Amino acid sequence: SQIFGIINLMKFHVLINRWANFYFFIANLSEWHFSCRKRYNFFWLAADGKFSKTEKKYLKIFKKILLKYHFFRYLGILFSTKLEKKDWIEAAKLLNKNEYKTFNKVFAIFEQRFNKIWNPTILKQNAKILQKELKSKYCKEIQKDLKIFLGENKIKQVNIYLLKHPAENWYLAGGANIGNNKLTLECNELRPNEASVELAAATVWHEFIHLAYQQKIEKEINRIITVKKQKQINLPLIQKRSLKEALSEIIIFSLFPKGYLADKYLHYQPYKKIKQQLNEYLKIYKQFRKGKLADFNVLRFYFIYKLYPLTKKYIQNKKQIDEDYIKTVLKYLGIKKTG
């Protein structure tokens, strides 16, 4: 792994790990979870042809192993270390002998495919660009606003693992499931002074909030709506999410990467763009309220729009997230009774 920078009050280290990218490549191809990006697989298969029978067979076996451990013991953690040579040592400790053997076999089968798409040069360039962006003055202000809205956090350093994807340059995504003080950023080529650079930073902040404040947000949700009541609610979403997961995601989206704080500090004007497409989002929202399955990835933009004035008011008035804020989100989800 290579380290690319330290910033501000809180330190961010941007790292590149080949095994992390290799694992991400195979795991995404297996489509073991709804969060796997089918868009990436389309590009990867278009570039290197359809799966062979052997590849199909071992992807199924690999998928079963990932489903066994799921996010409770997410296996991506094994391949997200500063020292790449340690990755397989950690894997040997967690996996049983057959699973470890399968992992070695799967990586060997897909190595040729992976080598064709592996491009560390772009990731090194991205790391330098992202480092520069995360040194911007606004980053200190963001930390101050997060403290106002969500309170103190104990995280002083975060490792960002860059994962190279094959889709459009503007498409960015992230994850906060590889352990404490670590997150992933999925990117293609970042170019200086393009909106995608700001969006990359905004995605990092979104995932940072998950890392630093997820437990606090969930604790507040549990205080307001009982766990028993939460289990009784089945939201009509294509991507199955519990009420707590959906609520947390909406609250964090109200800030970044397209919410109030992104709009306050960055130049790509996400709120203006959301308003331009509001009719489309409103249509999806109305279907959702009627109990029809909705795409959360689209629906969330309507929630950002609705929560923008309230989030702005809270932060400007130096007010921390509270019961009233969460009950407002619940109201938009169509939930009035919390007991």
Side-chain angles (χ1 to χ4, degrees):
S1 300
Q2 299 165 43
I3 297 178
F4 283 92
I6 302 172
I7 70 155
N8 305 320
L9 310 172
M10 182 182 54
K11 296 175 182 178
F12 282 98
H13 295 275
V14 185
L15 296 101
I16 299 163
N17 182 319
R18 181 178 178 275
W19 287 116
N21 277 269
F22 200 168
Y23 172 85
F24 172 68
F25 173 69
I26 302 171
N28 203 79
L29 286 173
S30 78
E31 297 186 0
W32 74 278
H33 189 258
F34 72 74
S35 61
C36 292
R37 328 280 184 194
K38 291 186 179 181
R39 180 197 294 248
Y40 302 170
N41 294 344
F42 171 80
F43 284 104
W44 281 328
L45 289 170
D48 200 31
K50 294 179 181 178
F51 294 128
S52 67
K53 285 183 181 179
T54 304
E55 286 173 330
K56 281 183 182 178
K57 177 188 169 183
Y58 276 91
L59 269 186
K60 282 182 181 178
I61 299 168
F62 190 73
K63 181 178 179 177
K64 281 182 183 177
I65 297 172
L66 300 196
L67 286 169
K68 174 188 166 182
Y69 291 93
H70 215 266
F71 284 116
F72 303 111
R73 299 194 74 177
Y74 179 59
L75 298 180
I77 294 170
L78 302 174
F79 301 96
S80 303
T81 64
K82 286 184 184 179
L83 298 170
E84 292 185 13
K85 61 185 178 183
K86 277 191 173 182
D87 293 353
W88 283 95
I89 296 169
E90 293 303 311
K93 288 178 188 174
L94 179 62
L95 301 168
N96 67 41
K97 284 183 180 179
N98 284 337
E99 289 167 347
Y100 184 74
K101 195 175 176 182
T102 300
F103 257 60
N104 273 283
K105 180 80 173 173
V106 171
F107 275 82
I109 288 167
F110 283 90
E111 185 154 26
Q112 196 174 347
R113 273 189 190 267
F114 177 71
N115 286 338
K116 287 180 183 176
I117 60 96
W118 173 234
N119 192 333
T121 305
I122 285 178
L123 288 182
K124 286 175 188 176
Q125 176 188 310
N126 289 353
K128 288 173 184 175
I129 292 167
L130 183 60
Q131 173 194 331
K132 187 179 177 183
E133 184 65 25
L134 288 170
K135 280 184 177 176
S136 301
K137 289 178 183 177
Y138 71 78
C139 289
K140 286 184 181 178
E141 299 305 314
I142 287 170
Q143 290 179 62
K144 289 176 188 175
D145 281 348
L146 288 177
K147 188 177 176 181
I148 289 167
F149 189 61
L150 295 168
E152 293 278 359
N153 84 83
K154 294 177 182 177
I155 296 178
K156 299 302 175 192
Q157 180 174 306
V158 176
N159 292 333
I160 304 166
Y161 287 84
L162 297 187
L163 302 174
K164 171 80 169 61
H165 74 61
E168 301 86 352
N169 288 344
W170 54 260
Y171 188 84
L172 292 135
N177 49 24
I178 58 167
N180 297 331
N181 302 7
K182 295 195 283 187
L183 58 86
T184 55
L185 178 71
E186 299 161 28
C187 52
N188 198 335
E189 187 176 2
L190 299 178
R191 290 172 184 164
N193 306 316
E194 286 192 1
S196 61
V197 177
E198 281 195 334
L199 186 54
T203 305
V204 166
W205 284 110
H206 176 93
E207 299 305 336
F208 168 76
I209 298 168
H210 274 295
L211 276 182
Y213 296 105
Q214 182 79 33
Q215 288 183 339
K216 187 171 186 176
I217 291 168
E218 288 185 356
K219 193 176 177 182
E220 193 68 14
I221 291 167
N222 287 341
R223 196 176 64 78
I224 292 159
I225 180 164
T226 63
V227 175
K228 185 181 177 183
K229 178 69 176 174
Q230 288 177 41
K231 287 178 180 176
Q232 291 169 356
I233 295 166
N234 185 22
L235 297 171
L237 297 169
I238 294 168
Q239 304 88 347
K240 285 293 175 190
R241 289 179 184 269
S242 68
L243 176 64
K244 192 189 293 180
E245 287 171 338
L247 265 174
S248 300
E249 202 64 61
I250 290 164
I251 290 165
I252 297 170
F253 267 114
S254 76
L255 301 167
F256 284 109
K258 304 284 179 76
Y260 169 64
L261 288 184
D263 201 64
K264 180 180 177 181
Y265 290 109
L266 306 176
H267 298 100
Y268 61 90
Q269 299 180 302
Y271 188 59
K272 183 182 176 182
K273 287 168 185 169
I274 287 170
K275 286 196 286 186
Q276 287 169 354
Q277 292 179 270
L278 191 59
N279 286 340
E280 178 195 338
Y281 303 141
L282 180 59
K283 187 179 173 184
I284 300 288
Y285 178 69
K286 284 179 177 177
Q287 289 177 339
F288 169 78
R289 288 300 300 271
K290 287 176 184 175
K292 293 178 182 176
L293 278 179
D295 185 341
F296 187 76
N297 292 331
V298 179
L299 189 62
R300 65 193 184 191
F301 292 111
Y302 182 77
F303 293 124
I304 292 168
Y305 169 77
K306 293 296 285 183
L307 288 168
Y308 186 97
L310 184 63
T311 309
K312 182 179 180 180
K313 184 180 175 184
Y314 266 65
I315 292 172
Q316 285 185 342
N317 294 338
K318 300 192 183 306
K319 191 175 178 183
Q320 199 163 318
I321 189 171
D322 57 12
E323 187 170 335
D324 289 340
Y325 188 96
I326 291 171
K327 281 188 172 177
T328 302
V329 184
L330 286 167
K331 182 183 78 177
Y332 294 141
L333 285 167
I335 298 157
K336 292 175 184 176
K337 291 181 181 179
T338 57

